[in-house]
Amino acid sequence: MTYQSFWTLTANPHLLKSPPVETLAHQVGSSLPVALYGLVLGLGKVSVLDGTTNAERMRDDLQGVQQILDWQSANPE
């Protein structure tokens, strides 16, 4: 079973400004929303439903999450 996170950004605006999200965004060089997606995905067995219809934003989000995964592999601590 996989939990689907819907309205991840809209329902949790306070999380976008939280220290873990800001720290990850700064270290990886990503946007705050992408950092939040990365942290949610890192919980395991969670998929994020991104409601954007903008193809460029979708591509940027996917590339950003991949950057976070790459950063996580290089920095396991």
Side-chain angles (χ1 to χ4, degrees):
M1 180 180 293
T2 299
Y3 177 79
Q4 293 180 321
S5 177
F6 187 67
W7 287 358
T8 306
L9 302 177
T10 313
N12 301 291
H14 59 286
L15 290 178
L16 285 174
K17 297 177 182 169
S18 68
V21 172
E22 289 182 340
T23 299
L24 181 60
H26 176 73
Q27 289 182 351
V28 176
S30 72
S31 67
L32 293 174
V34 169
L36 179 55
Y37 287 154
L39 288 172
V40 170
L41 291 170
L43 296 172
K45 297 211 178 222
V46 177
S47 62
V48 174
L49 301 177
D50 186 341
T52 187
T53 57
N54 180 306
E56 186 175 341
R57 187 170 298 129
M58 281 186 234
R59 192 171 28 260
D60 290 346
D61 288 349
L62 289 171
Q63 288 174 348
V65 169
Q66 186 59 54
Q67 283 179 288
I68 290 171
L69 293 173
D70 294 344
W71 178 86
Q72 181 183 24
S73 292
N75 300 280
E77 69 285 346

